Amino acid sequence: MGVMEFRYLGNSGLKISEVTYGNWLTHGSQVENEQALACVRASLDNGITTFDTADVYANTKAETVLGEALKGERRESVEIFTKVFGPIGPKQHNDVGLSRKHIMEAAHGSLKRLQTDYIDLYQAHRYDVETPLEETMQAFADLVRQGKVLYVGVSEWTAEQLRDGAALAKELGFQLISNQPQYSMLWRVIEGEVVPTSKELGISQVVWSPIAQGVLTGKYKPGEQPPAGSRATDEKGGANMIARWMRDDVLARVQQLKPLADEAGLSMAALAVAWTLQNDNVATAIIGASRPEQVADNAAAAGVTLDADLLTKIDEILDPVIERDPARTHESSPKTREV
């Protein structure tokens, strides 16, 4: 197992672990909560110090579970990331978006649930087309001034939105240091514009879905039914996220990565996570896990350098099924879309 390594987040002094545990609960059932506690414990045991969640995950239950799980830890030794945008509670008129009202209320709710005085990184979960960006950035600036938020990031913003946000942040005396996009061997949309713009602005990527919702583990075989209990069979939201990859041409090519993973001495999952970390604009890859052993497996990607020859072979195998078109990233309105 590799030793956990740390990277700076954007052009800041904040160091975070190369692998982040993403506390994304789907329904917050008792079983799921217990698994999440075990996975947080496994994360800490494997050197992961960075934890990413959001108020909308399992309608606030994910934050509550993470707060409980980290309660006994030294606060200074962990980095807690959460997000604001989506509605929680009754979904009334001011319960969504990036208005000053919603940001302030959401931040206070998150602090309570996470049982902490401050959030290390507070992220705009989506871009809000209905609120002036000035209002949003001013609210973030005020939370920073109040000491309730240490750093500010965003999620799934376009290159242009990042540029506008970074300029306003600078005027207000703080920095935008991160963006949280989807990124994997199969989904390379950010490479075109988001990454070059981010490098210029001093913004890092905190990537989600580095194993493409589990597809890159190789557990889904062409022409076979998906394993019981896997993401592909989850009627509560997992299945439609993963549907785009559940085609035999994609799955057959993913199977061809197995000998490459073996050669590198990594599991398929660790190879996929390590692949995202080869991009120097990526600060950390968020892994999701429903079992502690998956955490250890994914954490093994930290500190791994994949040689150029291996990266070329991966590209040759996957080339026909790689998604690179930014137009495909915003299939639905940012008001309703959930990560």
Side-chain angles (χ1 to χ4, degrees):
M1 192 190 95
V3 175
M4 185 53 63
E5 299 205 359
F6 298 84
R7 296 187 182 190
Y8 285 105
L9 186 57
N11 185 20
S12 81
L14 178 66
K15 293 177 194 171
I16 61 172
S17 52
E18 283 188 339
V19 175
T20 290
Y21 177 67
N23 184 45
W24 174 33
L25 302 181
T26 39
H27 13 275
S29 66
Q30 194 48 47
V31 172
E32 201 182 17
N33 294 358
E34 280 161 23
Q35 285 170 332
L37 288 168
C39 289
V40 169
R41 178 67 27 223
S43 297
L44 294 162
D45 291 344
N46 282 279
I48 293 171
T49 59
T50 311
F51 296 86
D52 179 80
T53 190
D55 57 0
V56 290
Y57 296 165
N59 201 26
T60 73
K61 289 198 189 84
E63 281 188 333
T64 303
V65 167
L66 186 61
E68 279 299 317
L70 293 175
K71 199 162 56 172
E73 293 303 306
R74 177 174 180 265
R75 179 65 183 88
E76 295 84 352
S77 302
V78 294
E79 302 84 46
I80 299 174
F81 297 0
T82 191
K83 314 184 192 81
V84 53
F85 184 105
I88 54 171
K91 305 190 180 185
Q92 288 186 323
H93 50 289
N94 280 313
D95 287 347
V96 69
L98 300 175
S99 68
R100 180 180 185 86
K101 179 172 168 65
H102 183 58
I103 288 176
M104 291 300 176
E105 289 167 351
H108 290 126
S110 290
L111 288 167
K112 279 198 196 86
R113 289 185 291 270
L114 291 163
Q115 302 187 48
T116 181
D117 298 328
Y118 63 92
I119 293 159
D120 291 287
L121 179 74
Y122 202 32
Q123 303 157 99
H125 207 157
R126 284 293 178 270
Y127 186 84
D128 184 358
V129 292
E130 296 178 12
T131 301
L133 189 57
E134 291 79 358
E135 175 179 343
T136 295
M137 299 314 276
Q138 181 66 60
F140 281 135
D142 291 345
L143 285 168
V144 170
R145 297 272 185 282
Q146 292 168 8
K148 289 171 184 169
V149 165
L150 303 190
Y151 298 93
V152 176
V154 299
S155 174
E156 291 286 354
W157 281 26
T158 64
E160 190 186 0
Q161 290 163 353
L162 289 170
R163 201 176 286 287
D164 294 346
L168 276 169
K170 201 169 183 179
E171 275 176 39
L172 293 161
F174 74 102
Q175 276 177 291
L176 210 51
I177 64 167
S178 67
N179 176 47
Q180 187 173 133
Q182 181 176 183
Y183 185 52
S184 70
M185 291 178 191
L186 289 170
W187 187 270
R188 304 193 190 182
V189 171
I190 59 170
E191 289 176 351
E193 291 177 20
V194 168
V195 166
T197 301
S198 296
K199 282 184 171 173
E200 183 197 323
L201 298 170
I203 290 172
S204 289
Q205 310 308 315
V206 170
V207 306
W208 62 272
S209 207
I211 55 177
Q213 280 94 37
V215 170
L216 289 169
T217 63
K219 69 180 169 187
Y220 301 114
K221 310 271 192 316
E224 291 180 21
Q225 285 298 311
S230 63
R231 179 70 64 91
T233 62
D234 177 17
E235 252 82 81
K236 294 196 173 76
N240 49 12
M241 287 276 298
I242 203 174
R244 72 164 75 246
W245 309 125
M246 299 300 288
R247 308 193 316 260
D248 284 357
D249 59 330
V250 177
L251 301 179
R253 287 179 181 276
V254 168
Q255 291 301 318
Q256 293 174 41
L257 299 173
K258 182 84 176 79
L260 301 183
D262 292 343
E263 208 179 309
L266 296 166
S267 68
M268 296 266 285
L271 176 71
V273 175
W275 183 90
T276 64
L277 292 169
Q278 305 310 294
N279 184 324
D280 60 4
N281 187 232
V282 171
T284 188
I286 302 174
I287 59 142
S290 50
R291 298 192 309 280
E293 55 275 21
Q294 291 172 319
V295 175
D297 181 16
N298 287 310
V304 170
T305 303
L306 303 176
D307 64 52
D309 181 43
L310 176 62
L311 294 170
T312 304
K313 283 181 189 160
I314 289 170
D315 288 351
E316 284 167 359
I317 290 169
L318 296 178
D319 188 56
V321 295
I322 293 169
E323 183 62 72
R324 293 189 168 93
D325 178 11
R328 295 281 305 275
T329 57
H330 301 286
E331 293 115 298
S332 58
S333 145
K335 278 279 178 252
T336 53
R337 181 138 174 248
E338 269 268 349
V339 177

